[in-house]
Amino acid sequence: MTRPLLLQGDAYEVLTGLDDQSVQCVVTSPPYYNLRDYGEKDQIGLEENDEDYVDNLLKVFAEVKRILRKDGTLWLNLGDTYAHKCLLGVPWKVALALQSDGWWLRSDIIWHKPNVMPEGVKDRCTRDHEYIFMLSKSPNYYYDADAIKEPVQDSSIKRSMYGWDSDRPSTKSNTGIHTEKMGTRFVNPKGRNKRTVWTINPANYKDAHFATFPEMIPELCIKAGSKKGDTILDPFVGSGTTCRVASKLGRNSIGID
């Protein structure tokens, strides 16, 4: 297990001291806007308005982009905020601002939380999701789809027992899984491509840090976005979940807090 490098200080200032293209994958969850006071001067999340919050994150992620390898990816987890009973749409404001700043927005992932805490509201639905945005530095980037494939469903295996194209012979193995492409549809024995809704229970909170995300989230991101021996960065490392998972997976890691 590799030992993470933990750096203390303002995320932007610390990032300016890191080398260009020194990180393969970034997995992070910044402080959410107008949600919590961590007791630090000029902290991200307590700006007077959400426009300033977005601008401050853009400044940080400009440095992240500099130190990210050309084929690297950024996985950004953000929750939304209400102000005067109006949902602000902060995660999408950040994502679209990053896109305008030169990032490639490749995927919007829904983190569905089945055991979410009740909100006690009666005039709208209870929120049980957050966003995870996958962004890249360039249109061509490292992505290991096989590392996070989902199990093949029994119904898919049953359907694969039969040919979809009557003009061509069926190519079936004794498991009922097609081993060659047939027409435009087939079942991959390694599993199906990961979907964009991830149903994962939030982590159990052992102390005052309530924003910890579960280990499964950085595990999926790190497996898809890097290889063993690569360096993972979390510029808002908090309780250290990203670095802890990176070490378990044989990656080097840097955490800033």
Side-chain angles (χ1 to χ4, degrees):
M1 182 179 293
T2 59
R3 189 177 182 85
L5 173 63
L6 300 178
L7 304 173
Q8 189 172 15
D10 177 85
Y12 172 78
E13 293 179 359
V14 174
L15 286 167
T16 60
L18 299 180
D19 293 338
D20 293 359
Q21 298 194 58
S22 56
V23 167
Q24 176 62 42
C25 181
V26 180
V27 183
T28 193
S29 183
Y32 298 168
Y33 174 65
N34 199 29
L35 184 63
R36 190 164 291 111
D37 185 351
Y38 292 96
E40 297 292 334
K41 182 181 179 181
D42 299 325
Q43 61 186 290
I44 289 177
L46 288 186
E47 292 84 353
E48 291 187 3
N49 54 69
D50 57 336
E51 288 85 0
D52 289 342
Y53 173 76
V54 173
D55 289 343
N56 284 335
L57 285 184
L58 282 180
K59 182 180 177 182
V60 171
F61 287 114
E63 280 300 301
V64 167
K65 188 177 181 184
R66 177 185 62 79
I67 68 172
L68 192 64
R69 291 175 59 88
K70 290 181 180 179
D71 63 345
T73 51
L74 162 63
W75 304 74
L76 175 61
N77 168 224
L78 281 174
D80 214 339
T81 305
Y82 279 87
H84 307 295
K85 300 191 74 172
C86 183
L87 187 63
L88 298 179
V90 171
W92 275 105
K93 290 179 180 179
V94 174
L96 293 175
L98 288 170
Q99 186 182 56
S100 296
D101 206 37
W103 289 89
W104 293 76
L105 181 55
R106 295 294 296 130
S107 186
D108 63 319
I109 298 161
I110 300 297
W111 170 19
H112 167 229
K113 301 182 285 186
N115 65 343
V116 69
M117 291 290 291
E119 291 185 295
V121 294
K122 296 182 179 180
D123 58 353
R124 61 173 173 82
C125 298
T126 295
R127 291 177 298 170
D128 65 349
H129 76 281
E130 293 183 8
Y131 287 98
I132 302 170
F133 295 106
M134 175 191 169
L135 303 106
S136 63
K137 187 172 179 176
S138 67
N140 300 310
Y141 52 89
Y142 178 83
Y143 182 82
D144 187 353
D146 286 347
I148 60 169
K149 281 190 180 298
E150 299 176 347
V152 178
Q153 302 296 310
D154 289 341
S155 58
S156 298
I157 295 176
K158 290 178 181 178
R159 285 197 301 271
S160 74
M161 297 289 289
Y162 305 95
W164 288 293
D165 187 342
S166 59
D167 295 330
R168 300 178 61 185
S170 178
T171 53
K172 301 188 290 287
S173 69
N174 57 10
T175 62
I177 299 176
H178 286 291
T179 56
E180 298 178 13
K181 188 170 181 181
M182 186 173 183
T184 59
R185 301 172 67 186
F186 75 108
V187 176
N188 189 329
K190 295 180 179 179
R192 70 177 192 176
N193 200 38
K194 187 71 177 173
R195 273 34 177 183
T196 56
V197 176
W198 297 358
T199 300
I200 303 171
N201 285 328
N204 293 322
Y205 310 125
K206 298 180 181 179
D207 51 37
H209 185 82
F210 298 103
T212 307
F213 54 17
E215 290 193 358
M216 181 57 68
I217 288 179
E219 180 177 335
L220 290 168
C221 302
I222 291 169
K223 283 182 175 179
S226 68
K227 304 179 292 294
K228 286 187 176 181
D230 284 340
T231 298
I232 311 301
L233 168 70
D234 187 343
F236 301 99
V237 73
S239 63
T241 305
T242 297
C243 290
R244 184 166 59 251
V245 173
S247 295
K248 290 180 180 179
L249 295 176
R251 275 70 163 174
N252 302 306
S253 61
I254 302 171
I256 303 172
D257 191 35

